[in-house]
PDB file of all heavy atoms in Angstrom:
ATOM      1  N   GLN A  20     166.931  21.272 232.723  1.00 85.00           N
ATOM      2  CA  GLN A  20     167.241  22.655 233.136  1.00 85.00           C
ATOM      3  C   GLN A  20     166.928  23.646 232.021  1.00 85.00           C
ATOM      4  O   GLN A  20     166.421  24.759 232.269  1.00 85.00           O
ATOM      5  CB  GLN A  20     168.712  22.751 233.539  1.00 85.00           C
ATOM      6  CG  GLN A  20     169.035  22.034 234.855  1.00 85.00           C
ATOM      7  CD  GLN A  20     170.513  22.089 235.182  1.00 85.00           C
ATOM      8  OE1 GLN A  20     171.300  22.611 234.388  1.00 85.00           O
ATOM      9  NE2 GLN A  20     170.882  21.546 236.345  1.00 85.00           N
ATOM     10  N   MET A  42     152.085  49.452 231.890  1.00 87.00           N
ATOM     11  CA  MET A  42     152.701  50.762 231.619  1.00 87.00           C
ATOM     12  C   MET A  42     151.854  51.538 230.608  1.00 87.00           C
ATOM     13  O   MET A  42     151.628  52.753 230.776  1.00 87.00           O
ATOM     14  CB  MET A  42     154.119  50.575 231.087  1.00 87.00           C
ATOM     15  CG  MET A  42     155.140  50.208 232.167  1.00 87.00           C
ATOM     16  SD  MET A  42     156.716  49.783 231.475  1.00 87.00           S
ATOM     17  CE  MET A  42     157.218  51.359 230.823  1.00 87.00           C
ATOM     18  N   GLN A  58     140.606  70.018 231.508  1.00 87.00           N
ATOM     19  CA  GLN A  58     139.201  70.424 231.576  1.00 87.00           C
ATOM     20  C   GLN A  58     138.885  71.122 232.889  1.00 87.00           C
ATOM     21  O   GLN A  58     138.172  72.127 232.929  1.00 87.00           O
ATOM     22  CB  GLN A  58     138.293  69.206 231.402  1.00 87.00           C
ATOM     23  CG  GLN A  58     138.324  68.600 230.000  1.00 87.00           C
ATOM     24  CD  GLN A  58     137.448  67.372 229.895  1.00 87.00           C
ATOM     25  OE1 GLN A  58     136.820  66.981 230.894  1.00 87.00           O
ATOM     26  NE2 GLN A  58     137.403  66.765 228.720  1.00 87.00           N
ATOM     27  N   LEU A 116      95.784 135.736 257.619  1.00 83.00           N
ATOM     28  CA  LEU A 116      94.351 135.612 257.889  1.00 83.00           C
ATOM     29  C   LEU A 116      93.965 136.332 259.172  1.00 83.00           C
ATOM     30  O   LEU A 116      92.910 137.001 259.254  1.00 83.00           O
ATOM     31  CB  LEU A 116      93.965 134.131 257.963  1.00 83.00           C
ATOM     32  CG  LEU A 116      93.986 133.342 256.642  1.00 83.00           C
ATOM     33  CD1 LEU A 116      93.796 131.863 256.915  1.00 83.00           C
ATOM     34  CD2 LEU A 116      92.895 133.859 255.711  1.00 83.00           C
ATOM     35  N   GLN A 135      77.604 156.357 262.512  1.00 82.00           N
ATOM     36  CA  GLN A 135      77.265 157.238 263.626  1.00 82.00           C
ATOM     37  C   GLN A 135      77.447 158.701 263.260  1.00 82.00           C
ATOM     38  O   GLN A 135      76.610 159.569 263.566  1.00 82.00           O
ATOM     39  CB  GLN A 135      78.111 156.888 264.843  1.00 82.00           C
ATOM     40  CG  GLN A 135      77.692 155.600 265.515  1.00 82.00           C
ATOM     41  CD  GLN A 135      78.578 155.267 266.711  1.00 82.00           C
ATOM     42  OE1 GLN A 135      79.551 156.012 266.977  1.00 82.00           O
ATOM     43  NE2 GLN A 135      78.238 154.199 267.409  1.00 82.00           N
ATOM     44  N   ILE A 148      67.993 172.999 260.076  1.00 78.00           N
ATOM     45  CA  ILE A 148      66.720 173.422 259.470  1.00 78.00           C
ATOM     46  C   ILE A 148      65.799 174.039 260.525  1.00 78.00           C
ATOM     47  O   ILE A 148      65.141 175.078 260.308  1.00 78.00           O
ATOM     48  CB  ILE A 148      66.059 172.231 258.772  1.00 78.00           C
ATOM     49  CG1 ILE A 148      66.885 171.804 257.543  1.00 78.00           C
ATOM     50  CG2 ILE A 148      64.631 172.542 258.361  1.00 78.00           C
ATOM     51  CD1 ILE A 148      66.529 170.459 257.012  1.00 78.00           C
ATOM     52  N   GLN A 174      82.966 172.263 263.113  1.00 73.00           N
ATOM     53  CA  GLN A 174      82.941 170.844 263.491  1.00 73.00           C
ATOM     54  C   GLN A 174      82.546 169.961 262.307  1.00 73.00           C
ATOM     55  O   GLN A 174      83.058 168.853 262.123  1.00 73.00           O
ATOM     56  CB  GLN A 174      81.961 170.641 264.645  1.00 73.00           C
ATOM     57  CG  GLN A 174      82.459 171.207 265.964  1.00 73.00           C
ATOM     58  CD  GLN A 174      81.463 171.004 267.095  1.00 73.00           C
ATOM     59  OE1 GLN A 174      80.366 170.452 266.856  1.00 73.00           O
ATOM     60  NE2 GLN A 174      81.812 171.474 268.298  1.00 73.00           N
ATOM     61  N   GLN A 206      99.451 132.589 247.656  1.00 79.00           N
ATOM     62  CA  GLN A 206      99.931 131.622 248.644  1.00 79.00           C
ATOM     63  C   GLN A 206      99.181 130.307 248.545  1.00 79.00           C
ATOM     64  O   GLN A 206      99.755 129.233 248.718  1.00 79.00           O
ATOM     65  CB  GLN A 206      99.801 132.209 250.045  1.00 79.00           C
ATOM     66  CG  GLN A 206     100.831 133.296 250.351  1.00 79.00           C
ATOM     67  CD  GLN A 206     100.668 133.858 251.736  1.00 79.00           C
ATOM     68  OE1 GLN A 206      99.742 133.476 252.458  1.00 79.00           O
ATOM     69  NE2 GLN A 206     101.568 134.758 252.107  1.00 79.00           N
ATOM     70  N   LYS A 239     120.934  90.254 247.492  1.00 81.00           N
ATOM     71  CA  LYS A 239     120.904  89.014 248.284  1.00 81.00           C
ATOM     72  C   LYS A 239     121.035  87.792 247.379  1.00 81.00           C
ATOM     73  O   LYS A 239     121.762  86.854 247.680  1.00 81.00           O
ATOM     74  CB  LYS A 239     119.605  88.950 249.075  1.00 81.00           C
ATOM     75  CG  LYS A 239     119.550  89.917 250.249  1.00 81.00           C
ATOM     76  CD  LYS A 239     118.233  89.814 250.982  1.00 81.00           C
ATOM     77  CE  LYS A 239     118.164  90.804 252.134  1.00 81.00           C
ATOM     78  NZ  LYS A 239     116.869  90.747 252.843  1.00 81.00           N
ATOM     79  N   GLU A 242     124.560  87.598 246.223  1.00 81.00           N
ATOM     80  CA  GLU A 242     125.432  87.094 247.299  1.00 81.00           C
ATOM     81  C   GLU A 242     125.271  85.601 247.489  1.00 81.00           C
ATOM     82  O   GLU A 242     126.253  84.881 247.705  1.00 81.00           O
ATOM     83  CB  GLU A 242     125.103  87.840 248.591  1.00 81.00           C
ATOM     84  CG  GLU A 242     125.617  89.285 248.606  1.00 81.00           C
ATOM     85  CD  GLU A 242     125.249  90.008 249.885  1.00 81.00           C
ATOM     86  OE1 GLU A 242     124.477  89.402 250.697  1.00 81.00           O
ATOM     87  OE2 GLU A 242     125.726  91.136 250.097  1.00 81.00           O
ATOM     88  N   LEU A 245     126.943  83.980 244.663  1.00 81.00           N
ATOM     89  CA  LEU A 245     128.394  84.113 244.842  1.00 81.00           C
ATOM     90  C   LEU A 245     128.911  83.131 245.874  1.00 81.00           C
ATOM     91  O   LEU A 245     129.966  82.507 245.678  1.00 81.00           O
ATOM     92  CB  LEU A 245     128.715  85.549 245.271  1.00 81.00           C
ATOM     93  CG  LEU A 245     130.195  85.916 245.403  1.00 81.00           C
ATOM     94  CD1 LEU A 245     130.903  85.776 244.057  1.00 81.00           C
ATOM     95  CD2 LEU A 245     130.351  87.335 245.926  1.00 81.00           C
ATOM     96  N   GLY A 261     143.359  66.899 244.992  1.00 79.00           N
ATOM     97  CA  GLY A 261     143.337  65.430 245.011  1.00 79.00           C
ATOM     98  C   GLY A 261     143.882  64.838 243.722  1.00 79.00           C
ATOM     99  O   GLY A 261     144.659  63.875 243.731  1.00 79.00           O
ATOM    100  N   GLU A 281     163.747  49.001 232.994  1.00 69.00           N
ATOM    101  CA  GLU A 281     165.195  48.984 232.764  1.00 69.00           C
ATOM    102  C   GLU A 281     165.832  47.721 233.338  1.00 69.00           C
ATOM    103  O   GLU A 281     166.689  47.087 232.712  1.00 69.00           O
ATOM    104  CB  GLU A 281     165.815  50.233 233.383  1.00 69.00           C
ATOM    105  CG  GLU A 281     165.431  51.519 232.650  1.00 69.00           C
ATOM    106  CD  GLU A 281     165.988  52.741 233.342  1.00 69.00           C
ATOM    107  OE1 GLU A 281     166.611  52.548 234.417  1.00 69.00           O
ATOM    108  OE2 GLU A 281     165.816  53.860 232.820  1.00 69.00           O
ATOM    109  N   ARG A 301     174.389  22.707 224.526  1.00 82.00           N
ATOM    110  CA  ARG A 301     173.679  21.729 223.699  1.00 82.00           C
ATOM    111  C   ARG A 301     174.565  21.234 222.558  1.00 82.00           C
ATOM    112  O   ARG A 301     174.565  20.021 222.226  1.00 82.00           O
ATOM    113  CB  ARG A 301     172.408  22.348 223.144  1.00 82.00           C
ATOM    114  CG  ARG A 301     171.276  22.433 224.140  1.00 82.00           C
ATOM    115  CD  ARG A 301     170.046  23.052 223.519  1.00 82.00           C
ATOM    116  NE  ARG A 301     168.939  23.097 224.469  1.00 82.00           N
ATOM    117  CZ  ARG A 301     167.769  23.673 224.214  1.00 82.00           C
ATOM    118  NH1 ARG A 301     167.553  24.252 223.025  1.00 82.00           N
ATOM    119  NH2 ARG A 301     166.812  23.668 225.122  1.00 82.00           N
ATOM    120  N   PRO A 314     182.324   5.179 218.923  1.00 56.00           N
ATOM    121  CA  PRO A 314     183.493   5.059 219.812  1.00 56.00           C
ATOM    122  C   PRO A 314     184.739   4.580 219.043  1.00 56.00           C
ATOM    123  O   PRO A 314     185.182   3.442 219.175  1.00 56.00           O
ATOM    124  CB  PRO A 314     183.038   4.033 220.820  1.00 56.00           C
ATOM    125  CG  PRO A 314     182.051   3.209 220.111  1.00 56.00           C
ATOM    126  CD  PRO A 314     181.365   4.075 219.123  1.00 56.00           C
ATOM    127  N   ALA A 346     159.221  39.294 243.972  1.00 87.00           N
ATOM    128  CA  ALA A 346     159.043  40.417 244.917  1.00 87.00           C
ATOM    129  C   ALA A 346     158.595  41.677 244.194  1.00 87.00           C
ATOM    130  O   ALA A 346     157.689  42.407 244.651  1.00 87.00           O
ATOM    131  CB  ALA A 346     160.356  40.665 245.671  1.00 87.00           C
TER     132      ALA A 346
END
Side-chain angles (χ1 to χ4, degrees):
Q20 290 177 356
M42 284 172 67
Q58 291 178 0
L116 289 171
Q135 286 179 357
I148 292 165
Q174 289 180 358
Q206 287 180 357
K239 287 179 182 178
E242 286 179 353
L245 184 62
E281 291 176 357
R301 282 180 178 175

